């Protein structure tokens, strides 16, 4: 069991490192609690303060935010998770695109 | 047009209501609210240092009580349930300040005031339900309890940035009031940073609420 947990932890760590190494891309985050425009605006304002973020799109139907990064900038999993949590919402999943 | 806008804002500042969702904003967010109905008119400006706390100034005017209240109000989000399709919240809202009244024998008499209450709400993109209460004590002048509940339904589901419309029913209970129970059908319009509510209650009093969040 411990071996399995260690393997998962290492895979997550490697995954986060790889994501941080692909700057200027797009991040997709599934967000729980995203039910209205006030919620969407809260996330837009929160990510808008980040130097790495160019802009975000909010899809209320799918409960997904798309974070567009500035050229040469990156955001790791931990930061994305922290920003969404600080805004008052829960992260369902995080995926990285080109 | 400018005159019309001034008239709308002025009307808003002259009156008040009780139930409203989201008493805490996002970190760094400011909110201006004016709530108006047959019982009172209020203005509340608050700042949210975190997504769990807001602090602000509250003014209320109760015409029937000839009562003015100024308070420092703190709202605390005690618990939020974020689900894939819905969100629920549990808040405590409290304030301390000063109030004065001209009613009857009170000749502009003032006293320390304090109030506290809870608020709960649940909503998804088409349905809304909330309840809140408050006990207010004004030293040597008055004390009273009020509670209120709302149900709401959105006739269509808009995207982010669209005009959102809600049809709502609000029921208020204030044991000491002449009109102990008040029922108010109302419509809520919500777009960008603006939220506007308009309704008429069963005593033919107008409800007008406006919220600006930035």
């Amino acid at each position: 069991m411990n071996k399995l947990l260690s393997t998962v932890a290492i895979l997550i760590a490697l995954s986060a490192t790889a994501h941080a190494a692909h700057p200027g891309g797009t991040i997709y985050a599934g967000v729980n609690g995203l039910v209205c425009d006030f919620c969407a605006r809260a996330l837009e304002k929160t990510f808008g303060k980040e130097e790495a973020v160019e802009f975000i799109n909010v899809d209320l139907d799918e409960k997904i935010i798309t974070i567009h990064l500035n050229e040469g900038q990156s955001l790791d999993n931990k930061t994305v998770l922290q920003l969404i949590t600080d805004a008052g919402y829960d992260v369902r999943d995080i995926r990285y695109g080109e | 047009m400018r005159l019309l806008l001034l008239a709308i804002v002025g009307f808003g500042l002259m009156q008040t209501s009780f139930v409203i969702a989201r008493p805490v904003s996002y970190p760094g967010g400011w909110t201006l609210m004016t709530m108006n109905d047959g019982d009172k008119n209020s203005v509340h400006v608050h700042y949210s240092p975190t997504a769990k706390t807001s602090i602000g100034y509250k003014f209320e005017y109760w015409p029937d009580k000839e009562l003015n209240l100024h308070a420092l109000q703190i709202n605390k989000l005690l618990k939020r349930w974020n689900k894939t399709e819905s969100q629920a919240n549990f808040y405590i809202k409290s304030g301390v300040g000063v109030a004065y009244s001209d009613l009857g024998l009170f000749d502009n008499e003032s006293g320390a005031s304090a109030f506290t209450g809870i608020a709960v709400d649940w909503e998804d993109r088409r349905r809304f339900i909330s309840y809140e209460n408050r006990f207010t004590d004004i030293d040597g002048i008055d004390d009273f309890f009020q509670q209120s509940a709302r149900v709401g339904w959105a006739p269509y589901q808009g995207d982010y940035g669209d005009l959102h419309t809600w049809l709502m029913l609000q029921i208020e209970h204030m044991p000491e009031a002449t009109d102990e129970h008040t029922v108010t059908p109302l419509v809520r319009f919500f777009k960008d940073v603006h939220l506007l509510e308009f309704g008429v209650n069963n005593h033919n009093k107008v409800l007008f609420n406006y919220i600006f969040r930035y």
Side-chain angles (χ1 to χ4, degrees):
Chain A
M1 185 64 181
N2 283 343
K3 199 171 188 178
L4 181 65
L5 287 174
S6 302
T7 308
V8 171
I10 289 166
L11 284 173
I12 290 170
L14 286 173
S15 168
T17 308
H19 293 148
H22 290 286
T26 306
I27 303 168
Y28 304 93
V31 179
N32 282 350
L34 191 55
V35 293
C36 70
D37 273 28
F38 270 160
C39 311
R41 186 163 297 276
L43 291 165
E44 198 172 64
K45 289 278 185 184
T46 301
F47 279 93
K49 291 174 186 168
E50 288 296 306
E51 195 182 322
V53 176
E54 186 181 10
F55 65 94
I56 74 165
N57 292 121
V58 180
D59 184 338
L60 289 176
D61 290 330
E62 300 299 327
K63 302 346 185 238
I64 289 173
I65 62 167
T66 306
I67 305 156
H68 300 271
L69 300 176
N70 282 314
E71 197 64 40
Q73 300 283 335
S74 61
L75 274 184
D76 58 28
N77 272 7
K78 193 179 169 189
T79 306
V80 173
L81 182 68
Q82 192 65 53
L83 288 170
I84 292 172
T85 305
D86 287 350
Y89 303 91
D90 293 339
V91 178
R92 201 165 57 244
D93 57 70
I94 298 173
R95 292 180 289 114
Y96 284 73
E98 292 303 317
Chain B
M1 188 63 189
R2 179 181 275 183
L3 192 62
L4 180 64
L5 281 172
L6 282 173
I8 290 170
V9 172
F11 181 71
L13 291 172
M14 282 165 58
Q15 298 193 28
T16 294
S17 165
F18 186 50
V19 176
I20 197 72
R22 304 297 169 80
V24 179
S25 184
Y26 47 81
W30 285 86
T31 303
L32 167 69
M33 297 190 250
T34 175
M35 321 291 278
N36 310 277
D37 62 20
D39 291 327
K40 73 177 191 296
N41 318 116
S42 76
V43 176
H44 185 194
V45 182
H46 69 67
Y47 173 75
S48 297
T50 72
K52 291 188 172 179
T53 305
S54 74
I55 183 166
Y57 163 74
K58 178 80 166 281
F59 168 75
E60 291 180 0
Y61 172 61
W62 296 73
D64 289 349
K65 296 172 180 289
E66 296 184 40
L67 182 72
N68 291 273
L69 184 150
H70 301 269
L72 175 73
Q73 180 168 335
I74 295 175
N75 301 327
K76 192 82 185 165
L77 172 64
L78 296 178
K79 177 71 179 169
R80 170 171 289 172
W81 293 268
N82 286 315
K83 302 294 181 188
T84 309
E85 301 293 335
S86 66
Q87 183 188 116
N89 299 286
F90 177 32
Y91 299 94
I92 184 165
K93 300 158 71 171
S94 305
V96 290
V98 65
Y100 56 93
S101 177
D102 264 336
L103 186 64
L105 295 175
F106 297 126
D107 184 16
N108 206 21
E109 187 162 326
S110 63
S113 66
F115 58 84
T116 190
I118 61 161
V120 291
D121 64 69
W122 176 92
E123 69 178 297
D124 63 12
R125 294 188 65 199
R126 299 293 292 272
R127 295 165 296 174
F128 175 89
I129 186 165
S130 70
Y131 167 82
E132 72 178 272
N133 62 30
R134 189 179 107 178
F135 178 74
T136 306
D137 184 53
I138 302 163
D139 192 29
I141 296 177
D142 198 4
D143 61 72
F144 53 93
F145 175 77
Q146 56 190 134
Q147 58 183 341
S148 177
R150 259 193 200 193
V151 291
W153 172 72
Y156 63 91
Q157 195 166 286
D159 290 328
Y160 178 38
D162 289 348
L163 173 68
H164 299 267
T165 305
W166 288 81
L167 304 175
M168 295 183 150
L169 186 70
Q170 175 175 306
I171 300 169
E172 290 173 273
H173 176 228
M174 196 168 169
E176 71 160 46
T178 311
D179 300 320
E180 192 175 334
H181 295 94
T182 302
V183 180
T184 313
L186 62 115
V187 59
R188 168 188 282 185
F189 297 110
F190 180 19
K191 182 171 172 54
D192 299 327
V193 294
H194 306 281
L195 188 154
L196 185 75
E197 294 178 337
F198 183 81
V200 178
N201 71 22
N202 58 325
H203 310 296
N204 289 321
K205 301 277 179 62
V206 172
L207 174 146
F208 177 83
N209 299 328
Y210 172 68
I211 299 177
F212 178 64
R213 183 163 282 183
Y214 55 100

